[in-house]
Amino acid sequence: MRRGAAIGSQIAEVNVATQEVNNRVLEFPLKPEVDSEEEVAEWLEAFDQVVENEGATRGCDLLQALIERARKSGVEIPVQLNTPYVNTIPVSEEVPYPGDRLLERRIKSLIRWNAMAMVHRQNKQDPGIGGHISTYSSLATLLEVGFNHFFHAEYGDQPGDFIYFQGHSSPGVYARAFLEGRLSEEQVKNFRHELRGAPGLPSYPHPWLLPDFWSFPTVSMGIGPLNAIYQARFMRYLENRAIIAQTPRKIWAFVGDGETDEPESMGSLTLASREKLDNLIFVVNCNLQRLDGPVRGNGKIINELEAAFRGAGWNVIKVLWGSDWDKLFARDKSGILLKRLEEAVDGEYQSYKVKGGEYIRREFFGKYPELLAMVSDMSDDELHRLARGGHDPQKVYNAYKRAVEHCGGPTVILAHTVKGYGLGSAEARNATHQEKKLADKALTAFRSRFEIPIPEEAARDGSLYRPPDDSPELAYLRQRRKELGGYMPTRSVPELGFQAPPLSEFAESLAGSKGRAVSTTMGFVSLLRQLLKHPTIGKLIVPIVPDEGRTFGMESIIRQVGIYASQGQLYKPHDQDMLLYYREEKNGQILEEGITEAGSMASFTAAGTAYANYKVPMVPFFTYYSMFGFQRIGDMMWAFADARGKGFLMGGTAGKTTLAGEGLQHQDGHSLVLSSTVPTCHSYDPAYVYEIAVIAQDGMRRMYQAGEDRFYYITMYNEDYAMPEMPAGAEEGILRGIYKYRPSAQGQAVVQLFGSGPILNEALRAQNILAEKYGVHSDVWSVTSYNELRRDALATERWNRLHPAEAEKRPYILTALDGSEGPIVAATDYMKAVPDQLSPWIQGRLVTLGTDGFGRSDNREYLRRHFEVNAESIVAAALSRLARDGKFDVQRARKAFEELGVDSEKIDAAIA
Ligand SMILES: Cc1ncc(C[n+]2csc(CCOP(=O)(O)OP(=O)(O)O)c2C)c(N)n1
Ligand SMILES: [Mg+2]
């Protein structure tokens, strides 16, 4: 028996008795350095024999045993996550293409043309309007194989797939919809001209702008892939909770290779494998380029991504080379071609495409005589046309088929493509991303290459072309989509049939805490518990929390509805004997995300758009540290608004002085400024639990019952105080942003005090001090939303501006203040910019106290003194202002400052 074969048969017994094998393998000690080629050949031959005679699994066992053995012997084994730089699927395992390749190529050519023409034409007549032609040109085959064979719209009782398109490929998606007859020529001609009276097309996938078409905003890089992962997870959540049926539908996410540099793209890969999301397929369009130049000029982005995805547990399918390469690989007995493919870096691959066949022969194949000989029968033109895998429908089809059939985890397809494919001189050039127009010559060349049947003259104008309805191309295209359930993308919203519980059902929250000191956060948690118990909408509530459940006192909710865990609870929690143990369940309701606000926001997005995507009106409540919300993941909130998301963002531990102790990086004084920038976000800063109840009830009614596309940001604090009962008739004011909470008890008020959140209590204390010590009467108002008041005032003002002949309307803030006199001191735990939003309408009256500047570690008393938002500062501000107005004695005011402990020379917190 040859030596190698002996190793094979001996190690084959490794699974039976490891120790025995260990001893015997010692007869053939592995050497870390192999010193002769002959020796290597012997080992390889032995291995080949094992695989041939006993199968691949046996070969794998053998390698495993060798690795273990090597580790035990102290041999360091290099971590190797890369496979050879060839297609993952060998030719021998490919299935034939099921479609009509010729017709599909015709259709794809027409789409290519129209996508390019749409952008070209628009930039010719409106220079600078922008658009992209080279992203789609690299993606066309990847999308078309999907559209013709894989992307399911609704079919039978199966709901459809979800597709996250690369944002910059939108012209191609529009061009297909144009051929399908779903978009009119007028619409396509109005690409990027949305404001001209005629229906136009938005630049990118924006559901807000084209709500019947797009579902997933993707164009801010990184948001698409992250949202896609959490979408796939949320789909499983709905299935495991029996809210929707389990189906074989898929989520396809098309991602740019440059886009993978965004941490959001790669940050949650392990969630997808941990959760075994075999409903998720990523297709990374590896055209090796981004906006400025190569993604990894000096290396290989595909290898880097393969290692990252494999390391994260994904099934990786590389589609690198088109079918033309197959014959070359068949000739490559020595492995020299593979060696050359592996040593060339992406910057070189880019040059090969730019510089053509002669260059490829000289620089790529010419490096080794043996390799050069391999292509001696091929012309330069043939070398140039050697296609990359992502442009070969046969290879792409096989990859997609395997991805769709893969079970047990997510798949990524790394598809090698050429940026600007088919655009002649713009192909693969560094500047191709920004290319918007083609020269006349390039246009006519494009027309000839893709055989577009339009006159040369029309080609130069970038005319659109749609073949007759009864043409074989359109008939085929329609037939394919019919078989796959219909056209995509499409977005539709059903009748939601949601009945918001009436406010009376929240009697407990409205009744106050009967003197018990509680926080608004605790009040919210009670409200949430109650909602979760609700007989009809309880199951639709989705509590989301990024590892802060205990901070917000949500342990009871964990006990009540459990944490969603796709595998159930595989361990006995150590606190199982306790009432509030850490309960994980396969059908748990809470999404406990761990420490990822971005991931939580992605879940919030999946849940908040479920009313359209899954036709179930899920109501998410995402509770988080307010400092780590809009500031950290504001772009995702913006995308949520674009996606017409609904739900409640609950900003806990809010306020710069209310979150005591934590200091600069925790204390939030500006999320309300940031939230005010999102058009569909309605922000509230409530002081009392009944205010939260009123806002939440009305929010549910407006979003899910009345069908308004809006969402809420509500701050919640952790300061405990007695929650009063709701004053009669306060609802309207709470919702619109202001109501008088406690009028002056003693007499006509000469000053108005505005307070929000816990600072309302400071205003109330100030009211007492002013009256008792200084004989100044004041009214106290709870301002639940400066943002809402400002929006109302702006809308009213605009109406007045546009209707000069009609009776002037008055903004709500002014009607609310009718009859209230004197200066207004507005105190907030947020920046002064928040109350200052009202300045234009209460000009001359407003004195703002807010928490501009960096936070500090201290208790509330000292923090409020530092930021000048305590009762004493409110009193001082009122007296100061009254004194300036000649309504209060100046000397008395100065003395009052001393009595109040207000230091006129203290450093300004805004710059401290
Ligand atoms: C967050 C974000 N940053 C920057 C951009 C601007 N931008 C648009 S496309 C692009 C390059 C995209 O390259 P890649 O992801 O490789 O896609 P390709 O067009 O090459 O397919 C950049 C930087 C953006 N859209 N989003
Ligand atoms: Mg790219």
Side-chain angles (χ1 to χ4, degrees):
M1 188 188 278
R2 276 167 303 148
R3 184 174 149 198
I7 299 170
S9 64
Q10 285 178 6
I11 293 186
E13 293 174 45
V14 73
N15 291 340
V16 184
T18 314
Q19 193 51 49
E20 199 186 325
V21 172
N22 283 347
N23 295 338
R24 271 188 285 163
V25 170
L26 279 180
E27 296 166 30
F28 310 98
L30 285 176
K31 286 195 224 160
E33 285 168 24
V34 184
D35 46 23
S36 83
E37 292 209 355
E38 199 184 324
E39 190 176 14
V40 175
E42 276 185 27
W43 279 77
L44 293 180
E45 193 187 338
F47 182 76
D48 288 347
Q49 266 187 20
V50 172
V51 175
E52 199 178 312
N53 299 335
E54 301 174 53
T57 314
R58 203 71 195 138
C60 189
D61 290 346
L62 175 62
L63 283 179
Q64 203 62 41
L66 269 176
I67 289 168
E68 267 174 41
R69 185 70 212 154
R71 285 211 181 105
K72 277 192 185 141
S73 317
V75 176
E76 258 189 52
I77 301 162
V79 178
Q80 180 52 280
L81 288 167
N82 281 122
T83 57
Y85 204 62
V86 291
N87 295 342
T88 303
I89 303 173
V91 184
S92 58
E93 291 178 23
E94 283 178 15
V95 296
Y97 197 75
D100 182 330
R101 286 280 298 266
L102 215 61
L103 264 183
E104 288 189 21
R105 183 176 185 276
R106 291 278 314 131
I107 294 167
K108 187 167 60 187
S109 297
L110 294 174
I111 297 174
R112 278 184 190 289
W113 171 263
N114 287 310
M116 183 276 298
M118 175 184 329
V119 179
H120 171 89
R121 207 183 146 276
Q122 210 64 319
N123 280 275
K124 209 165 172 180
Q125 59 165 352
D126 189 354
I129 198 70
H132 300 83
I133 54 182
S134 48
T135 301
Y136 179 71
S137 45
S138 63
L139 191 65
T141 301
L142 294 168
L143 285 188
E144 278 306 294
V145 172
F147 276 121
N148 285 321
H149 301 282
F150 291 94
F151 302 159
H152 284 97
E154 290 179 27
Y155 58 110
D157 57 355
Q158 300 289 327
D161 295 338
F162 295 161
I163 310 174
Y164 289 72
F165 294 99
Q166 263 185 281
H168 296 79
S169 70
S170 59
V173 184
Y174 289 144
R176 174 168 248 274
F178 169 60
L179 287 193
E180 290 166 346
R182 295 199 295 144
L183 294 179
S184 67
E185 182 157 349
E186 189 187 25
Q187 261 176 301
V188 176
K189 282 186 171 163
N190 276 315
F191 173 61
R192 290 189 173 226
H193 278 181
E194 292 187 270
L195 304 173
R196 318 222 159 180
L201 292 176
S203 50
Y204 302 118
H206 295 305
W208 187 260
L209 304 175
L210 209 57
D212 302 337
F213 196 85
W214 299 115
S215 294
F216 309 110
T218 48
V219 81
S220 175
M221 314 246 112
I223 286 182
L226 179 67
N227 275 337
I229 291 176
Y230 281 84
Q231 182 73 263
R233 200 291 212 87
F234 191 71
M235 188 182 275
R236 293 284 183 251
Y237 167 90
L238 292 178
E239 290 168 358
N240 283 326
R241 288 193 54 219
I243 287 175
I244 61 170
Q246 177 136 23
T247 65
R249 73 158 104 172
K250 302 286 176 196
I251 291 160
W252 296 81
F254 289 85
V255 182
D257 50 357
E259 184 174 11
T260 61
D261 279 344
E262 291 284 4
E264 288 87 346
S265 303
M266 304 296 281
S268 294
L269 294 187
T270 52
L271 173 90
S273 46
R274 194 162 66 241
E275 295 282 307
K276 304 186 172 32
L277 299 178
D278 50 17
N279 53 349
L280 178 64
I281 299 168
F282 268 25
V283 181
V284 186
N285 175 14
C286 296
N287 53 28
L288 315 185
Q289 288 179 241
R290 45 182 164 71
L291 194 153
D292 285 341
V295 180
R296 294 288 181 273
N298 295 319
K300 277 193 168 61
I301 184 63
I302 292 175
N303 275 349
E304 189 176 319
L305 292 176
E306 179 185 34
F309 277 94
R310 278 168 70 99
W314 285 53
N315 172 41
V316 179
I317 302 175
K318 290 193 296 190
V319 185
L320 303 192
W321 311 111
S323 303
D324 307 347
W325 287 84
D326 291 342
K327 67 172 187 290
L328 295 181
F329 287 122
R331 291 176 191 171
D332 185 30
K333 299 294 178 223
S334 68
I336 188 82
L337 175 58
L338 177 62
K339 175 180 158 71
R340 185 71 188 103
L341 290 172
E342 295 201 324
E343 68 191 12
V345 294
D346 286 357
E348 289 172 313
Y349 280 110
Q350 196 188 356
S351 296
Y352 300 144
K353 277 295 159 199
V354 173
K355 297 194 173 175
E358 189 271 330
Y359 182 86
I360 295 172
R361 185 184 306 279
R362 178 161 37 90
E363 296 295 324
F364 180 79
F365 291 101
K367 181 159 181 193
Y368 303 109
E370 186 192 339
L371 194 57
L372 192 61
M374 198 186 281
V375 293
S376 58
D377 60 341
M378 293 174 75
S379 68
D380 286 352
D381 199 36
E382 282 172 318
L383 292 186
H384 191 212
R385 275 193 282 120
L386 278 171
R388 294 188 180 166
H391 295 292
D392 185 333
Q394 164 76 9
K395 304 291 183 194
V396 173
Y397 177 84
N398 274 278
Y400 283 7
K401 181 169 184 298
R402 210 171 252 206
V404 166
E405 289 167 359
H406 180 73
C407 289
T411 292
V412 62
I413 292 165
L414 301 175
H416 194 195
T417 58
V418 179
K419 192 149 179 170
Y421 182 82
L423 296 179
S425 62
E427 195 168 279
R429 289 191 185 270
N430 279 331
T432 189
H433 187 86
Q434 299 298 73
E435 214 69 57
K436 322 261 174 244
K437 284 185 282 190
L438 293 189
D440 286 354
K441 214 170 95 200
L443 278 166
T444 48
F446 192 114
R447 163 183 159 272
S448 311
R449 173 167 177 182
F450 293 108
E451 298 165 31
I452 311 299
I454 54 172
E456 198 167 323
E457 175 87 18
R460 279 200 292 269
D461 291 343
S463 297
L464 300 170
Y465 176 72
R466 187 172 183 271
D469 263 335
D470 59 357
S471 63
E473 290 89 347
L474 292 198
Y476 183 89
L477 176 146
R478 277 195 300 268
Q479 182 58 24
R480 291 309 312 146
R481 286 315 310 164
K482 196 168 160 210
E483 278 179 34
L484 290 162
Y487 296 127
M488 296 176 83
T490 0
R491 178 181 176 279
S492 66
V493 179
E495 197 55 54
L496 297 182
F498 183 99
Q499 198 63 39
L503 194 56
S504 55
E505 286 191 24
F506 303 104
E508 202 182 294
S509 306
L510 303 179
S513 62
K514 315 274 185 275
R516 200 162 60 93
V518 298
S519 63
T520 47
T521 309
M522 278 170 76
F524 161 70
V525 172
S526 306
L527 187 93
L528 187 58
R529 280 176 59 102
Q530 208 187 326
L531 278 174
L532 287 162
K533 279 188 218 151
H534 195 277
T536 54
I537 66 159
K539 62 176 185 303
L540 303 175
I541 306 293
V542 185
I544 302 170
V545 66
D547 201 34
E548 292 287 354
R550 288 182 203 279
T551 310
F552 304 121
M554 292 170 79
E555 293 95 327
S556 57
I557 292 187
I558 295 179
R559 176 72 182 87
Q560 184 185 344
V561 293
I563 289 169
Y564 171 71
S566 56
Q567 306 183 52
Q569 195 154 29
L570 302 176
Y571 61 98
K572 213 167 155 187
H574 76 84
D575 52 1
Q576 200 181 28
D577 300 336
M578 293 162 70
L579 183 65
L580 301 180
Y581 75 97
Y582 197 81
R583 178 181 159 205
E584 296 190 89
E585 299 236 354
K586 187 163 181 158
N587 63 354
Q589 197 161 348
I590 300 171
L591 288 171
E592 158 67 84
E593 302 291 8
I595 312 169
T596 166
E597 283 75 16
S600 306
M601 189 61 205
S603 279
F604 184 72
T605 302
T609 53
Y611 71 94
N613 296 330
Y614 300 95
K615 321 292 180 211
V616 282
M618 305 307 289
V619 185
F621 285 85
F622 169 23
T623 307
Y624 58 91
Y625 241 109
S626 74
M627 188 66 161
F628 307 132
F630 278 89
Q631 170 168 279
R632 190 178 183 113
I633 48 169
D635 197 15
M636 296 187 72
M637 274 112 167
W638 187 257
F640 180 81
D642 185 351
R644 299 175 170 262
K646 304 172 195 254
F648 295 94
L649 295 174
M650 306 300 298
T653 51
K656 194 161 275 178
T657 69
T658 307
L659 175 58
E662 292 288 346
L664 184 153
Q665 209 128 30
H666 284 75
Q667 291 161 345
D668 164 36
H670 54 284
S671 63
L672 286 167
V673 178
L674 302 175
S675 71
S676 75
T677 61
V678 183
T680 58
C681 179
H682 296 266
S683 312
Y684 286 91
D685 191 17
Y688 298 132
V689 172
Y690 65 79
E691 294 177 349
I692 296 186
V694 168
I695 297 160
Q697 190 278 338
D698 192 62
M700 284 188 284
R701 181 190 64 78
R702 292 186 75 155
M703 293 187 288
Y704 297 95
Q705 200 172 306
E708 292 181 39
D709 291 335
R710 50 160 55 209
F711 68 106
Y712 288 76
Y713 175 52
I714 304 176
T715 54
M716 302 190 304
Y717 296 82
N718 63 1
E719 183 173 356
D720 294 334
Y721 46 85
M723 291 295 155
E725 188 182 355
M726 182 171 79
E731 293 95 321
E732 187 190 1
I734 293 172
L735 294 171
R736 300 195 68 172
I738 188 168
Y739 64 100
K740 195 183 281 185
Y741 176 70
R742 195 166 79 189
S744 157
Q746 296 86 353
Q748 172 69 32
V750 294
V751 61
Q752 309 299 322
L753 306 181
F754 286 6
S756 307
I759 301 301
L760 179 60
N761 295 324
E762 299 293 331
L764 290 168
R765 203 153 64 78
Q767 184 186 40
N768 289 341
I769 300 172
L770 277 168
E772 286 164 17
K773 279 198 159 170
Y774 305 104
V776 171
H777 302 315
S778 59
D779 295 331
V780 173
W781 304 71
S782 174
V783 186
T784 50
S785 181
Y786 287 101
N787 294 359
E788 289 297 293
L789 290 171
R790 176 176 172 81
R791 284 180 181 174
D792 166 77
L794 285 174
T796 312
E797 187 180 79
R798 175 175 176 273
W799 192 91
N800 289 339
R801 176 162 39 87
L802 295 173
H803 302 87
E806 311 204 26
E808 211 172 40
K809 294 185 177 180
R810 301 181 71 223
Y812 188 75
I813 178 64
L814 292 186
T815 53
L817 282 174
D818 267 344
S820 305
E821 287 175 14
I824 297 166
V825 181
T828 168
D829 217 2
Y830 278 81
M831 290 178 71
K832 293 181 181 123
V834 175
D836 283 351
Q837 293 181 87
L838 297 184
S839 302
W841 300 277
I842 45 182
Q843 221 167 19
R845 291 183 73 182
L846 186 64
V847 178
T848 304
L849 300 178
T851 58
D852 299 42
F854 286 124
R856 286 289 191 287
S857 308
D858 214 314
N859 68 18
R860 291 185 188 120
E861 184 189 340
Y862 281 83
L863 285 168
R864 288 178 184 164
R865 186 181 301 172
H866 172 73
F867 283 102
E868 300 162 17
V869 293
N870 56 359
E872 289 73 15
S873 298
I874 297 172
V875 172
L879 296 180
S880 170
R881 178 55 199 262
L882 288 171
R884 277 206 186 278
D885 291 351
K887 306 254 170 70
F888 193 80
D889 179 63
V890 176
Q891 296 314 323
R892 181 82 187 89
R894 279 182 54 184
K895 183 141 186 300
F897 275 37
E898 273 168 41
E899 292 162 6
L900 294 163
V902 171
D903 177 1
S904 305
E905 305 313 318
K906 178 184 136 316
I907 188 162
D908 182 355
I911 52 165

mmCIF file of all heavy atoms in Angstrom, residues 552-565:
data_model
loop_
_atom_site.group_PDB
_atom_site.id
_atom_site.type_symbol
_atom_site.label_atom_id
_atom_site.label_comp_id
_atom_site.label_asym_id
_atom_site.label_seq_id
_atom_site.Cartn_x
_atom_site.Cartn_y
_atom_site.Cartn_z
ATOM 1 N N PHE A 552 -35.841 50.967 31.581
ATOM 2 C CA PHE A 552 -37.171 51.560 31.477
ATOM 3 C C PHE A 552 -38.221 50.807 32.300
ATOM 4 O O PHE A 552 -39.412 51.054 32.156
ATOM 5 C CB PHE A 552 -37.594 51.619 29.997
ATOM 6 C CG PHE A 552 -36.606 52.351 29.138
ATOM 7 C CD1 PHE A 552 -35.996 51.740 28.056
ATOM 8 C CD2 PHE A 552 -36.251 53.654 29.454
ATOM 9 C CE1 PHE A 552 -35.061 52.415 27.291
ATOM 10 C CE2 PHE A 552 -35.313 54.334 28.690
ATOM 11 C CZ PHE A 552 -34.714 53.721 27.607
ATOM 12 N N GLY A 553 -37.766 49.868 33.119
ATOM 13 C CA GLY A 553 -38.700 49.149 33.992
ATOM 14 C C GLY A 553 -39.624 48.223 33.224
ATOM 15 O O GLY A 553 -40.796 48.063 33.562
ATOM 16 N N MET A 554 -39.104 47.617 32.156
ATOM 17 C CA MET A 554 -39.973 46.791 31.316
ATOM 18 C C MET A 554 -39.917 45.300 31.672
ATOM 19 O O MET A 554 -40.423 44.461 30.923
ATOM 20 C CB MET A 554 -39.617 47.002 29.841
ATOM 21 C CG MET A 554 -39.977 48.403 29.370
ATOM 22 S SD MET A 554 -39.343 48.813 27.731
ATOM 23 C CE MET A 554 -40.520 47.987 26.706
ATOM 24 N N GLU A 555 -39.313 44.960 32.817
ATOM 25 C CA GLU A 555 -39.210 43.539 33.188
ATOM 26 C C GLU A 555 -40.575 42.865 33.195
ATOM 27 O O GLU A 555 -40.723 41.708 32.791
ATOM 28 C CB GLU A 555 -38.594 43.369 34.582
ATOM 29 C CG GLU A 555 -37.149 43.786 34.694
ATOM 30 C CD GLU A 555 -36.980 45.204 35.186
ATOM 31 O OE1 GLU A 555 -37.846 46.057 34.872
ATOM 32 O OE2 GLU A 555 -35.985 45.486 35.869
ATOM 33 N N SER A 556 -41.577 43.621 33.663
ATOM 34 C CA SER A 556 -42.907 43.010 33.766
ATOM 35 C C SER A 556 -43.435 42.646 32.380
ATOM 36 O O SER A 556 -44.188 41.686 32.221
ATOM 37 C CB SER A 556 -43.869 43.971 34.463
ATOM 38 O OG SER A 556 -43.904 45.188 33.738
ATOM 39 N N ILE A 557 -43.033 43.406 31.387
ATOM 40 C CA ILE A 557 -43.507 43.113 30.025
ATOM 41 C C ILE A 557 -42.810 41.872 29.488
ATOM 42 O O ILE A 557 -43.405 41.062 28.778
ATOM 43 C CB ILE A 557 -43.293 44.346 29.124
ATOM 44 C CG1 ILE A 557 -44.240 45.444 29.593
ATOM 45 C CG2 ILE A 557 -43.538 44.007 27.668
ATOM 46 C CD1 ILE A 557 -44.286 46.661 28.738
ATOM 47 N N ILE A 558 -41.546 41.731 29.877
ATOM 48 C CA ILE A 558 -40.813 40.524 29.464
ATOM 49 C C ILE A 558 -41.549 39.290 29.996
ATOM 50 O O ILE A 558 -41.762 38.303 29.306
ATOM 51 C CB ILE A 558 -39.359 40.567 29.986
ATOM 52 C CG1 ILE A 558 -38.604 41.717 29.316
ATOM 53 C CG2 ILE A 558 -38.652 39.229 29.753
ATOM 54 C CD1 ILE A 558 -37.167 41.899 29.762
ATOM 55 N N ARG A 559 -41.987 39.367 31.232
ATOM 56 C CA ARG A 559 -42.723 38.263 31.841
ATOM 57 C C ARG A 559 -44.070 38.074 31.152
ATOM 58 O O ARG A 559 -44.507 36.964 30.892
ATOM 59 C CB ARG A 559 -42.917 38.571 33.338
ATOM 60 C CG ARG A 559 -43.744 37.544 34.081
ATOM 61 C CD ARG A 559 -42.940 36.255 34.239
ATOM 62 N NE ARG A 559 -43.717 35.225 34.918
ATOM 63 C CZ ARG A 559 -44.534 34.393 34.278
ATOM 64 N NH1 ARG A 559 -44.691 34.479 32.968
ATOM 65 N NH2 ARG A 559 -45.190 33.467 34.948
ATOM 66 N N GLN A 560 -44.681 39.210 30.844
ATOM 67 C CA GLN A 560 -46.047 39.158 30.299
ATOM 68 C C GLN A 560 -46.111 38.545 28.896
ATOM 69 O O GLN A 560 -46.926 37.664 28.639
ATOM 70 C CB GLN A 560 -46.611 40.593 30.254
ATOM 71 C CG GLN A 560 -48.054 40.689 29.811
ATOM 72 C CD GLN A 560 -48.503 42.154 29.663
ATOM 73 O OE1 GLN A 560 -47.842 43.069 30.159
ATOM 74 N NE2 GLN A 560 -49.616 42.374 29.005
ATOM 75 N N VAL A 561 -45.257 39.008 27.998
ATOM 76 C CA VAL A 561 -45.403 38.538 26.609
ATOM 77 C C VAL A 561 -44.154 37.840 26.079
ATOM 78 O O VAL A 561 -44.172 37.296 24.975
ATOM 79 C CB VAL A 561 -45.786 39.701 25.649
ATOM 80 C CG1 VAL A 561 -47.166 40.221 25.958
ATOM 81 C CG2 VAL A 561 -44.764 40.819 25.686
ATOM 82 N N GLY A 562 -43.070 37.818 26.820
ATOM 83 C CA GLY A 562 -41.873 37.095 26.415
ATOM 84 C C GLY A 562 -41.075 37.803 25.332
ATOM 85 O O GLY A 562 -41.595 38.634 24.588
ATOM 86 N N ILE A 563 -39.803 37.446 25.283
ATOM 87 C CA ILE A 563 -38.911 37.982 24.256
ATOM 88 C C ILE A 563 -38.926 37.026 23.076
ATOM 89 O O ILE A 563 -38.822 35.808 23.254
ATOM 90 C CB ILE A 563 -37.484 38.109 24.826
ATOM 91 C CG1 ILE A 563 -37.444 39.246 25.852
ATOM 92 C CG2 ILE A 563 -36.446 38.301 23.731
ATOM 93 C CD1 ILE A 563 -36.178 39.301 26.667
ATOM 94 N N TYR A 564 -39.031 37.567 21.893
ATOM 95 C CA TYR A 564 -39.025 36.712 20.696
ATOM 96 C C TYR A 564 -37.661 36.042 20.547
ATOM 97 O O TYR A 564 -36.620 36.713 20.550
ATOM 98 C CB TYR A 564 -39.334 37.539 19.448
ATOM 99 C CG TYR A 564 -39.123 36.757 18.168
ATOM 100 C CD1 TYR A 564 -39.995 35.731 17.818
ATOM 101 C CD2 TYR A 564 -38.044 37.032 17.323
ATOM 102 C CE1 TYR A 564 -39.800 34.996 16.658
ATOM 103 C CE2 TYR A 564 -37.848 36.297 16.161
ATOM 104 C CZ TYR A 564 -38.727 35.285 15.837
ATOM 105 O OH TYR A 564 -38.525 34.555 14.691
ATOM 106 N N ALA A 565 -37.666 34.724 20.451
ATOM 107 C CA ALA A 565 -36.429 33.981 20.224
ATOM 108 C C ALA A 565 -36.783 32.859 19.265
ATOM 109 O O ALA A 565 -37.529 31.941 19.628
ATOM 110 C CB ALA A 565 -35.892 33.421 21.533
#
